[in-house]
Amino acid sequence: MSSSIVLSNPISHKSPPFRSAPRLLPKTSRPISSRFLLAPPAPSKVSRLSRKVLVRTSIRDNDAKETSSSSSSSGSPLVGEDSAVFELEAQKIVSWVYFSVILGVVLFILKVAWLDESPSGLGLGKAFIDSVSGLSDSPEVVMLLLTIIFAVVHSGLASLRDAGEKVIGERAYRVLFAGTSLPLAVSTVVYFINHRYDGVQLWQLQGAPGVHQLVWLTNFVSFFFLYPSTFNLLEVAAVDKPKMHLWETGIMRITRHPQMVGQVMWCLAHTLWIGNSVTLAASAGLIGHHLFGAWNGDRRLAIRYGEAFDAVKSRTSTVPFAAIIEGRQKLPKDYYKEFLRLPYLSITALTLFAYFAHPLMQAGSFGLHW
């Protein structure tokens, strides 16, 4: 529901549009400003690591000022990061080997502990679904409860991230976050697939001219609104140290909360297609969760990045295209290049695969009898 082709960098080396944008330090660190870079502290008061950060940031800041395509609508350099960047030369084979091993281990544990209902498995997923289903005979209520449980755990752990990382570290907290959220998400998806045609039929538009094409196109486009952090697979798997990023390019120019927008598009398309009360309940829960996530995400970024986030917020919008229409955001002339990157090509392939794999997903869900 969400959730390799090697390309050379389409951006000319003479005009690197965003790679030169400075990487921000958290709000708790010393703020970066042009005045600070022009007059750094005395070398005796700066550690070796700090000197490296200052020099690297100063170079990036100067490069950004010289690159018109990396400027905001006001002409000032971007303070956020470039999203969906994948540099082949920066990849390490050993990192992707670790990623493959971790992914395999996670899927194995998920199968044995959560999905396997045989005597050799724990079957915790079945027990969880049965406990929630026992609260109501209404599939709409159960669907909504499953969504709320996932939302509370997922957003709750996200809100506790700063405090949790200080206690157990970034990688360990990412494992805790993913290990808790993934089973709940799988349960919610499986229950939706198995019960999507239960409940009261409110309308029937399947077979109407143009409806299938509209629904298919809306779903397809919705996956391009994935939050750019999703592209950082090595961080998702905690191979690289997870970070809280402040993005400002690509889809972020259209909306500051692309995952929310993509989820709303997906929900509207599926609700239009299925047209019953269970799908309406699922959509209401998911949209409500992502609206809260948009507010909560802004709050957490404001705490982490302070004035830098305020700058990004001033030239972006939650409502798609609002900042562009209002003149607060000006798209670069070569804006399309921000999407000609391997992650977006991968999303295209995975979205098409997911569409044609619907029968496989349905068969797998039916086999669980949740």
Side-chain angles (χ1 to χ4, degrees), residues 257-300:
H257 295 288
Q259 190 176 30
M260 179 272 292
V261 173
Q263 185 66 73
V264 169
M265 294 174 66
W266 186 95
C267 287
L268 293 178
H270 278 75
T271 303
L272 176 66
W273 180 250
I274 299 175
N276 65 11
S277 54
V278 171
T279 309
L280 192 62
S283 295
L286 287 172
I287 291 175
H289 168 48
H290 281 80
L291 288 175
F292 170 80
W295 171 83
N296 195 35
D298 278 354
R299 181 187 67 84
R300 293 169 58 217

mmCIF file of all heavy atoms in Angstrom, residues 257-300:
data_model
loop_
_atom_site.group_PDB
_atom_site.id
_atom_site.type_symbol
_atom_site.label_atom_id
_atom_site.label_comp_id
_atom_site.label_asym_id
_atom_site.label_seq_id
_atom_site.Cartn_x
_atom_site.Cartn_y
_atom_site.Cartn_z
ATOM 1 N N HIS A 257 4.815 18.370 2.989
ATOM 2 C CA HIS A 257 4.420 17.090 3.589
ATOM 3 C C HIS A 257 3.926 16.135 2.498
ATOM 4 O O HIS A 257 2.745 15.818 2.412
ATOM 5 C CB HIS A 257 3.338 17.315 4.649
ATOM 6 C CG HIS A 257 3.815 18.105 5.822
ATOM 7 N ND1 HIS A 257 4.687 17.586 6.758
ATOM 8 C CD2 HIS A 257 3.573 19.390 6.190
ATOM 9 C CE1 HIS A 257 4.950 18.511 7.662
ATOM 10 N NE2 HIS A 257 4.294 19.616 7.345
ATOM 11 N N PRO A 258 4.848 15.677 1.668
ATOM 12 C CA PRO A 258 4.444 14.849 0.526
ATOM 13 C C PRO A 258 3.862 13.503 0.924
ATOM 14 O O PRO A 258 2.986 12.991 0.218
ATOM 15 C CB PRO A 258 5.757 14.673 -0.256
ATOM 16 C CG PRO A 258 6.832 14.904 0.746
ATOM 17 C CD PRO A 258 6.302 15.917 1.693
ATOM 18 N N GLN A 259 4.331 12.913 2.024
ATOM 19 C CA GLN A 259 3.775 11.617 2.417
ATOM 20 C C GLN A 259 2.302 11.755 2.779
ATOM 21 O O GLN A 259 1.487 10.892 2.447
ATOM 22 C CB GLN A 259 4.549 11.049 3.604
ATOM 23 C CG GLN A 259 4.184 9.600 3.907
ATOM 24 C CD GLN A 259 5.015 9.011 5.027
ATOM 25 O OE1 GLN A 259 5.447 9.729 5.921
ATOM 26 N NE2 GLN A 259 5.248 7.716 4.975
ATOM 27 N N MET A 260 1.939 12.833 3.434
ATOM 28 C CA MET A 260 0.544 13.079 3.770
ATOM 29 C C MET A 260 -0.291 13.246 2.508
ATOM 30 O O MET A 260 -1.373 12.665 2.377
ATOM 31 C CB MET A 260 0.439 14.319 4.660
ATOM 32 C CG MET A 260 -0.979 14.693 5.072
ATOM 33 S SD MET A 260 -1.810 15.789 3.881
ATOM 34 C CE MET A 260 -0.858 17.292 4.091
ATOM 35 N N VAL A 261 0.223 14.034 1.563
ATOM 36 C CA VAL A 261 -0.505 14.264 0.326
ATOM 37 C C VAL A 261 -0.665 12.961 -0.458
ATOM 38 O O VAL A 261 -1.743 12.646 -0.977
ATOM 39 C CB VAL A 261 0.207 15.328 -0.531
ATOM 40 C CG1 VAL A 261 -0.455 15.462 -1.905
ATOM 41 C CG2 VAL A 261 0.197 16.676 0.185
ATOM 42 N N GLY A 262 0.414 12.174 -0.541
ATOM 43 C CA GLY A 262 0.333 10.903 -1.244
ATOM 44 C C GLY A 262 -0.651 9.947 -0.602
ATOM 45 O O GLY A 262 -1.395 9.239 -1.294
ATOM 46 N N GLN A 263 -0.690 9.925 0.736
ATOM 47 C CA GLN A 263 -1.634 9.047 1.426
ATOM 48 C C GLN A 263 -3.074 9.485 1.194
ATOM 49 O O GLN A 263 -3.970 8.641 1.025
ATOM 50 C CB GLN A 263 -1.339 9.037 2.919
ATOM 51 C CG GLN A 263 -2.183 8.056 3.711
ATOM 52 C CD GLN A 263 -1.876 6.618 3.361
ATOM 53 O OE1 GLN A 263 -0.842 6.087 3.718
ATOM 54 N NE2 GLN A 263 -2.781 5.963 2.639
ATOM 55 N N VAL A 264 -3.317 10.793 1.184
ATOM 56 C CA VAL A 264 -4.676 11.294 0.901
ATOM 57 C C VAL A 264 -5.097 10.897 -0.510
ATOM 58 O O VAL A 264 -6.238 10.458 -0.728
ATOM 59 C CB VAL A 264 -4.724 12.824 1.084
ATOM 60 C CG1 VAL A 264 -6.038 13.387 0.548
ATOM 61 C CG2 VAL A 264 -4.560 13.203 2.552
ATOM 62 N N MET A 265 -4.198 11.024 -1.463
ATOM 63 C CA MET A 265 -4.513 10.633 -2.839
ATOM 64 C C MET A 265 -4.842 9.146 -2.923
ATOM 65 O O MET A 265 -5.807 8.741 -3.573
ATOM 66 C CB MET A 265 -3.340 10.980 -3.758
ATOM 67 C CG MET A 265 -3.069 12.453 -3.912
ATOM 68 S SD MET A 265 -1.564 12.796 -4.872
ATOM 69 C CE MET A 265 -2.042 12.160 -6.478
ATOM 70 N N TRP A 266 -4.028 8.326 -2.258
ATOM 71 C CA TRP A 266 -4.264 6.878 -2.265
ATOM 72 C C TRP A 266 -5.612 6.546 -1.648
ATOM 73 O O TRP A 266 -6.372 5.727 -2.182
ATOM 74 C CB TRP A 266 -3.139 6.184 -1.494
ATOM 75 C CG TRP A 266 -3.194 4.683 -1.566
ATOM 76 C CD1 TRP A 266 -2.534 3.882 -2.443
ATOM 77 C CD2 TRP A 266 -3.962 3.816 -0.723
ATOM 78 N NE1 TRP A 266 -2.844 2.561 -2.197
ATOM 79 C CE2 TRP A 266 -3.716 2.489 -1.148
ATOM 80 C CE3 TRP A 266 -4.837 4.028 0.347
ATOM 81 C CZ2 TRP A 266 -4.311 1.385 -0.539
ATOM 82 C CZ3 TRP A 266 -5.435 2.933 0.958
ATOM 83 C CH2 TRP A 266 -5.166 1.633 0.524
ATOM 84 N N CYS A 267 -5.916 7.165 -0.519
ATOM 85 C CA CYS A 267 -7.182 6.886 0.173
ATOM 86 C C CYS A 267 -8.385 7.311 -0.660
ATOM 87 O O CYS A 267 -9.378 6.569 -0.761
ATOM 88 C CB CYS A 267 -7.203 7.602 1.524
ATOM 89 S SG CYS A 267 -6.116 6.873 2.775
ATOM 90 N N LEU A 268 -8.316 8.485 -1.243
ATOM 91 C CA LEU A 268 -9.437 8.954 -2.057
ATOM 92 C C LEU A 268 -9.669 8.042 -3.258
ATOM 93 O O LEU A 268 -10.815 7.733 -3.611
ATOM 94 C CB LEU A 268 -9.184 10.393 -2.517
ATOM 95 C CG LEU A 268 -9.176 11.463 -1.421
ATOM 96 C CD1 LEU A 268 -8.874 12.837 -2.026
ATOM 97 C CD2 LEU A 268 -10.502 11.486 -0.675
ATOM 98 N N ALA A 269 -8.573 7.600 -3.886
ATOM 99 C CA ALA A 269 -8.711 6.736 -5.049
ATOM 100 C C ALA A 269 -9.326 5.390 -4.669
ATOM 101 O O ALA A 269 -10.247 4.898 -5.350
ATOM 102 C CB ALA A 269 -7.345 6.533 -5.701
ATOM 103 N N HIS A 270 -8.859 4.778 -3.598
ATOM 104 C CA HIS A 270 -9.389 3.470 -3.193
ATOM 105 C C HIS A 270 -10.818 3.580 -2.667
ATOM 106 O O HIS A 270 -11.642 2.685 -2.890
ATOM 107 C CB HIS A 270 -8.481 2.843 -2.135
ATOM 108 C CG HIS A 270 -7.279 2.159 -2.704
ATOM 109 N ND1 HIS A 270 -6.200 2.855 -3.197
ATOM 110 C CD2 HIS A 270 -6.986 0.839 -2.882
ATOM 111 C CE1 HIS A 270 -5.288 1.999 -3.646
ATOM 112 N NE2 HIS A 270 -5.738 0.781 -3.472
ATOM 113 N N THR A 271 -11.121 4.666 -1.973
ATOM 114 C CA THR A 271 -12.489 4.851 -1.487
ATOM 115 C C THR A 271 -13.450 5.048 -2.647
ATOM 116 O O THR A 271 -14.567 4.504 -2.652
ATOM 117 C CB THR A 271 -12.558 6.054 -0.536
ATOM 118 O OG1 THR A 271 -11.633 5.850 0.546
ATOM 119 C CG2 THR A 271 -13.955 6.214 0.036
ATOM 120 N N LEU A 272 -13.039 5.810 -3.638
ATOM 121 C CA LEU A 272 -13.872 6.000 -4.829
ATOM 122 C C LEU A 272 -14.112 4.674 -5.537
ATOM 123 O O LEU A 272 -15.235 4.392 -5.970
ATOM 124 C CB LEU A 272 -13.196 6.984 -5.776
ATOM 125 C CG LEU A 272 -13.881 7.223 -7.133
ATOM 126 C CD1 LEU A 272 -15.222 7.908 -6.940
ATOM 127 C CD2 LEU A 272 -12.983 8.041 -8.059
ATOM 128 N N TRP A 273 -13.074 3.839 -5.631
ATOM 129 C CA TRP A 273 -13.169 2.586 -6.379
ATOM 130 C C TRP A 273 -14.015 1.542 -5.650
ATOM 131 O O TRP A 273 -14.891 0.910 -6.237
ATOM 132 C CB TRP A 273 -11.781 2.033 -6.640
ATOM 133 C CG TRP A 273 -11.745 0.748 -7.412
ATOM 134 C CD1 TRP A 273 -11.403 -0.479 -6.944
ATOM 135 C CD2 TRP A 273 -12.070 0.567 -8.792
ATOM 136 N NE1 TRP A 273 -11.491 -1.421 -7.929
ATOM 137 C CE2 TRP A 273 -11.902 -0.801 -9.088
ATOM 138 C CE3 TRP A 273 -12.492 1.437 -9.809
ATOM 139 C CZ2 TRP A 273 -12.131 -1.331 -10.354
ATOM 140 C CZ3 TRP A 273 -12.713 0.913 -11.071
ATOM 141 C CH2 TRP A 273 -12.536 -0.453 -11.338
ATOM 142 N N ILE A 274 -13.769 1.365 -4.332
ATOM 143 C CA ILE A 274 -14.477 0.327 -3.577
ATOM 144 C C ILE A 274 -15.832 0.829 -3.097
ATOM 145 O O ILE A 274 -16.828 0.102 -3.162
ATOM 146 C CB ILE A 274 -13.605 -0.152 -2.397
ATOM 147 C CG1 ILE A 274 -12.299 -0.756 -2.936
ATOM 148 C CG2 ILE A 274 -14.354 -1.160 -1.541
ATOM 149 C CD1 ILE A 274 -11.309 -1.158 -1.861
ATOM 150 N N GLY A 275 -15.870 2.025 -2.569
ATOM 151 C CA GLY A 275 -17.140 2.680 -2.262
ATOM 152 C C GLY A 275 -17.949 2.084 -1.134
ATOM 153 O O GLY A 275 -19.188 2.117 -1.188
ATOM 154 N N ASN A 276 -17.281 1.548 -0.091
ATOM 155 C CA ASN A 276 -18.070 1.010 1.025
ATOM 156 C C ASN A 276 -17.588 1.581 2.354
ATOM 157 O O ASN A 276 -16.634 2.366 2.418
ATOM 158 C CB ASN A 276 -18.040 -0.521 1.043
ATOM 159 C CG ASN A 276 -16.653 -1.075 1.316
ATOM 160 O OD1 ASN A 276 -15.729 -0.346 1.689
ATOM 161 N ND2 ASN A 276 -16.488 -2.379 1.127
ATOM 162 N N SER A 277 -18.268 1.163 3.436
ATOM 163 C CA SER A 277 -18.020 1.760 4.745
ATOM 164 C C SER A 277 -16.671 1.349 5.335
ATOM 165 O O SER A 277 -16.054 2.131 6.068
ATOM 166 C CB SER A 277 -19.158 1.368 5.700
ATOM 167 O OG SER A 277 -19.324 -0.043 5.741
ATOM 168 N N VAL A 278 -16.183 0.131 5.051
ATOM 169 C CA VAL A 278 -14.894 -0.293 5.589
ATOM 170 C C VAL A 278 -13.763 0.539 4.999
ATOM 171 O O VAL A 278 -12.864 0.997 5.710
ATOM 172 C CB VAL A 278 -14.665 -1.795 5.312
ATOM 173 C CG1 VAL A 278 -13.236 -2.191 5.667
ATOM 174 C CG2 VAL A 278 -15.649 -2.633 6.114
ATOM 175 N N THR A 279 -13.803 0.735 3.690
ATOM 176 C CA THR A 279 -12.774 1.554 3.053
ATOM 177 C C THR A 279 -12.851 2.993 3.527
ATOM 178 O O THR A 279 -11.820 3.654 3.707
ATOM 179 C CB THR A 279 -12.936 1.498 1.523
ATOM 180 O OG1 THR A 279 -13.014 0.142 1.109
ATOM 181 C CG2 THR A 279 -11.774 2.180 0.826
ATOM 182 N N LEU A 280 -14.052 3.482 3.755
ATOM 183 C CA LEU A 280 -14.220 4.839 4.261
ATOM 184 C C LEU A 280 -13.613 4.965 5.660
ATOM 185 O O LEU A 280 -12.949 5.966 5.972
ATOM 186 C CB LEU A 280 -15.699 5.205 4.291
ATOM 187 C CG LEU A 280 -16.040 6.675 4.535
ATOM 188 C CD1 LEU A 280 -15.481 7.557 3.425
ATOM 189 C CD2 LEU A 280 -17.558 6.855 4.644
ATOM 190 N N ALA A 281 -13.799 3.945 6.492
ATOM 191 C CA ALA A 281 -13.222 3.963 7.839
ATOM 192 C C ALA A 281 -11.699 3.926 7.779
ATOM 193 O O ALA A 281 -11.011 4.658 8.508
ATOM 194 C CB ALA A 281 -13.749 2.782 8.646
ATOM 195 N N ALA A 282 -11.160 3.077 6.901
ATOM 196 C CA ALA A 282 -9.705 2.995 6.753
ATOM 197 C C ALA A 282 -9.134 4.317 6.276
ATOM 198 O O ALA A 282 -8.102 4.791 6.781
ATOM 199 C CB ALA A 282 -9.339 1.880 5.785
ATOM 200 N N SER A 283 -9.797 4.934 5.315
ATOM 201 C CA SER A 283 -9.314 6.202 4.777
ATOM 202 C C SER A 283 -9.379 7.305 5.819
ATOM 203 O O SER A 283 -8.454 8.127 5.928
ATOM 204 C CB SER A 283 -10.136 6.587 3.544
ATOM 205 O OG SER A 283 -9.940 5.660 2.500
ATOM 206 N N ALA A 284 -10.458 7.329 6.603
ATOM 207 C CA ALA A 284 -10.590 8.351 7.644
ATOM 208 C C ALA A 284 -9.458 8.223 8.665
ATOM 209 O O ALA A 284 -8.848 9.224 9.073
ATOM 210 C CB ALA A 284 -11.942 8.226 8.336
ATOM 211 N N GLY A 285 -9.142 6.979 9.066
ATOM 212 C CA GLY A 285 -8.074 6.773 10.031
ATOM 213 C C GLY A 285 -6.709 7.150 9.488
ATOM 214 O O GLY A 285 -5.917 7.813 10.158
ATOM 215 N N LEU A 286 -6.429 6.739 8.246
ATOM 216 C CA LEU A 286 -5.120 7.028 7.651
ATOM 217 C C LEU A 286 -4.927 8.519 7.384
ATOM 218 O O LEU A 286 -3.861 9.069 7.638
ATOM 219 C CB LEU A 286 -4.968 6.230 6.351
ATOM 220 C CG LEU A 286 -4.745 4.726 6.521
ATOM 221 C CD1 LEU A 286 -4.810 4.032 5.162
ATOM 222 C CD2 LEU A 286 -3.417 4.443 7.201
ATOM 223 N N ILE A 287 -5.958 9.171 6.870
ATOM 224 C CA ILE A 287 -5.849 10.606 6.595
ATOM 225 C C ILE A 287 -5.683 11.386 7.899
ATOM 226 O O ILE A 287 -4.863 12.315 8.000
ATOM 227 C CB ILE A 287 -7.071 11.096 5.800
ATOM 228 C CG1 ILE A 287 -7.043 10.511 4.385
ATOM 229 C CG2 ILE A 287 -7.100 12.625 5.730
ATOM 230 C CD1 ILE A 287 -8.274 10.834 3.555
ATOM 231 N N GLY A 288 -6.460 11.010 8.924
ATOM 232 C CA GLY A 288 -6.330 11.674 10.215
ATOM 233 C C GLY A 288 -4.929 11.511 10.791
ATOM 234 O O GLY A 288 -4.341 12.460 11.318
ATOM 235 N N HIS A 289 -4.383 10.304 10.672
ATOM 236 C CA HIS A 289 -3.032 10.037 11.166
ATOM 237 C C HIS A 289 -2.003 10.892 10.447
ATOM 238 O O HIS A 289 -1.096 11.459 11.075
ATOM 239 C CB HIS A 289 -2.716 8.546 10.973
ATOM 240 C CG HIS A 289 -1.275 8.201 11.165
ATOM 241 N ND1 HIS A 289 -0.528 8.631 12.247
ATOM 242 C CD2 HIS A 289 -0.422 7.467 10.403
ATOM 243 C CE1 HIS A 289 0.706 8.170 12.153
ATOM 244 N NE2 HIS A 289 0.802 7.466 11.037
ATOM 245 N N HIS A 290 -2.112 11.008 9.139
ATOM 246 C CA HIS A 290 -1.117 11.768 8.379
ATOM 247 C C HIS A 290 -1.290 13.276 8.546
ATOM 248 O O HIS A 290 -0.314 14.021 8.451
ATOM 249 C CB HIS A 290 -1.182 11.373 6.901
ATOM 250 C CG HIS A 290 -0.487 10.076 6.617
ATOM 251 N ND1 HIS A 290 -1.064 8.859 6.871
ATOM 252 C CD2 HIS A 290 0.754 9.816 6.127
ATOM 253 C CE1 HIS A 290 -0.205 7.893 6.536
ATOM 254 N NE2 HIS A 290 0.892 8.450 6.090
ATOM 255 N N LEU A 291 -2.498 13.741 8.796
ATOM 256 C CA LEU A 291 -2.672 15.160 9.109
ATOM 257 C C LEU A 291 -1.993 15.493 10.436
ATOM 258 O O LEU A 291 -1.334 16.526 10.577
ATOM 259 C CB LEU A 291 -4.162 15.512 9.158
ATOM 260 C CG LEU A 291 -4.894 15.537 7.823
ATOM 261 C CD1 LEU A 291 -6.388 15.783 8.034
ATOM 262 C CD2 LEU A 291 -4.316 16.598 6.892
ATOM 263 N N PHE A 292 -2.161 14.608 11.413
ATOM 264 C CA PHE A 292 -1.454 14.799 12.679
ATOM 265 C C PHE A 292 0.050 14.716 12.452
ATOM 266 O O PHE A 292 0.826 15.496 13.038
ATOM 267 C CB PHE A 292 -1.880 13.740 13.696
ATOM 268 C CG PHE A 292 -1.026 13.737 14.932
ATOM 269 C CD1 PHE A 292 -1.235 14.668 15.935
ATOM 270 C CD2 PHE A 292 0.008 12.807 15.088
ATOM 271 C CE1 PHE A 292 -0.437 14.679 17.074
ATOM 272 C CE2 PHE A 292 0.808 12.815 16.218
ATOM 273 C CZ PHE A 292 0.584 13.751 17.217
ATOM 274 N N GLY A 293 0.481 13.775 11.614
ATOM 275 C CA GLY A 293 1.904 13.624 11.328
ATOM 276 C C GLY A 293 2.504 14.865 10.698
ATOM 277 O O GLY A 293 3.674 15.197 10.952
ATOM 278 N N ALA A 294 1.729 15.560 9.869
ATOM 279 C CA ALA A 294 2.221 16.796 9.260
ATOM 280 C C ALA A 294 2.475 17.854 10.330
ATOM 281 O O ALA A 294 3.523 18.519 10.342
ATOM 282 C CB ALA A 294 1.221 17.300 8.226
ATOM 283 N N TRP A 295 1.514 18.006 11.233
ATOM 284 C CA TRP A 295 1.697 18.968 12.328
ATOM 285 C C TRP A 295 2.857 18.558 13.223
ATOM 286 O O TRP A 295 3.710 19.371 13.604
ATOM 287 C CB TRP A 295 0.415 19.056 13.155
ATOM 288 C CG TRP A 295 0.589 19.848 14.414
ATOM 289 C CD1 TRP A 295 0.536 21.203 14.563
ATOM 290 C CD2 TRP A 295 0.898 19.313 15.726
ATOM 291 N NE1 TRP A 295 0.776 21.555 15.878
ATOM 292 C CE2 TRP A 295 1.000 20.420 16.602
ATOM 293 C CE3 TRP A 295 1.076 18.025 16.219
ATOM 294 C CZ2 TRP A 295 1.273 20.260 17.953
ATOM 295 C CZ3 TRP A 295 1.363 17.866 17.571
ATOM 296 C CH2 TRP A 295 1.457 18.975 18.422
ATOM 297 N N ASN A 296 2.910 17.275 13.564
ATOM 298 C CA ASN A 296 3.948 16.791 14.465
ATOM 299 C C ASN A 296 5.331 16.878 13.816
ATOM 300 O O ASN A 296 6.328 17.176 14.484
ATOM 301 C CB ASN A 296 3.646 15.340 14.857
ATOM 302 C CG ASN A 296 4.451 14.883 16.055
ATOM 303 O OD1 ASN A 296 4.718 15.656 16.969
ATOM 304 N ND2 ASN A 296 4.845 13.617 16.048
ATOM 305 N N GLY A 297 5.390 16.625 12.511
ATOM 306 C CA GLY A 297 6.661 16.737 11.808
ATOM 307 C C GLY A 297 7.195 18.155 11.813
ATOM 308 O O GLY A 297 8.393 18.383 12.031
ATOM 309 N N ASP A 298 6.320 19.130 11.572
ATOM 310 C CA ASP A 298 6.734 20.536 11.636
ATOM 311 C C ASP A 298 7.232 20.891 13.031
ATOM 312 O O ASP A 298 8.238 21.603 13.196
ATOM 313 C CB ASP A 298 5.564 21.450 11.254
ATOM 314 C CG ASP A 298 5.403 21.568 9.751
ATOM 315 O OD1 ASP A 298 6.248 21.036 9.012
ATOM 316 O OD2 ASP A 298 4.412 22.185 9.314
ATOM 317 N N ARG A 299 6.525 20.406 14.037
ATOM 318 C CA ARG A 299 6.911 20.707 15.416
ATOM 319 C C ARG A 299 8.298 20.155 15.726
ATOM 320 O O ARG A 299 9.143 20.845 16.315
ATOM 321 C CB ARG A 299 5.876 20.097 16.376
ATOM 322 C CG ARG A 299 6.153 20.356 17.851
ATOM 323 C CD ARG A 299 5.185 19.580 18.733
ATOM 324 N NE ARG A 299 5.407 18.136 18.620
ATOM 325 C CZ ARG A 299 6.326 17.468 19.306
ATOM 326 N NH1 ARG A 299 7.128 18.117 20.141
ATOM 327 N NH2 ARG A 299 6.446 16.168 19.171
ATOM 328 N N ARG A 300 8.560 18.921 15.321
ATOM 329 C CA ARG A 300 9.849 18.294 15.619
ATOM 330 C C ARG A 300 10.987 18.958 14.836
ATOM 331 O O ARG A 300 12.087 19.141 15.375
ATOM 332 C CB ARG A 300 9.777 16.806 15.287
ATOM 333 C CG ARG A 300 8.829 16.038 16.190
ATOM 334 C CD ARG A 300 8.578 14.643 15.654
ATOM 335 N NE ARG A 300 9.831 13.913 15.511
ATOM 336 C CZ ARG A 300 10.091 13.082 14.520
ATOM 337 N NH1 ARG A 300 9.189 12.888 13.565
ATOM 338 N NH2 ARG A 300 11.242 12.441 14.468
#
